[in-house]
Amino acid sequence: MDKKVTGIVSYFTIIGWLVAYFAGDKEGAKFHLNQSLVVNLGFIISGIISCIPLIGWIIYAVAGIFLVVCWILGLIAAINEEEKEIPLLGKIKILK
């Protein structure tokens, strides 16, 4: 997979991220691999927090809306082959 396809595939769930990481152009799409990993981990963490009654549900709803917006912005940037950071979470660097 080339850089663009790798970046796009990485945004589709954690399984898509794994496929992009192992089968794609890691060096060319490292930025989008990192951004999508942060968004996917955000979804996982918010899902865990949703197990807490009432407060967890509220946090899950707010975080879910925010993460969907971040996911859309990241996906659009990957499609346009731009390296725009997602709001608030874009500074987090997991992959070196």
Side-chain angles (χ1 to χ4, degrees):
M1 288 188 291
D2 67 343
K3 173 184 167 183
K4 182 176 181 177
V5 174
T6 302
I8 293 169
V9 170
S10 70
Y11 282 96
F12 292 104
T13 71
I14 199 72
I15 295 170
W17 185 88
L18 289 169
V19 168
Y21 184 78
F22 290 112
D25 178 16
K26 279 190 269 195
E27 290 305 312
K30 188 183 293 187
F31 177 82
H32 288 293
L33 283 168
N34 187 68
Q35 296 281 296
S36 62
L37 180 61
V38 170
V39 171
N40 283 321
L41 290 176
F43 278 120
I44 292 169
I45 291 168
S46 68
I48 292 169
I49 290 173
S50 72
C51 295
I52 302 169
L54 198 59
I55 298 288
W57 301 336
I58 294 168
I59 293 171
Y60 176 71
V62 172
I65 292 168
F66 173 72
L67 288 169
V68 167
V69 169
C70 288
W71 178 79
I72 291 170
L73 292 174
L75 184 60
I76 290 171
I79 290 169
N80 293 330
E81 296 186 64
E82 299 171 341
E83 291 191 357
K84 289 184 179 178
E85 290 184 346
I86 55 176
L88 299 176
L89 303 175
K91 300 278 187 221
I92 299 172
K93 303 292 182 219
I94 297 174
L95 299 175
K96 298 289 179 186

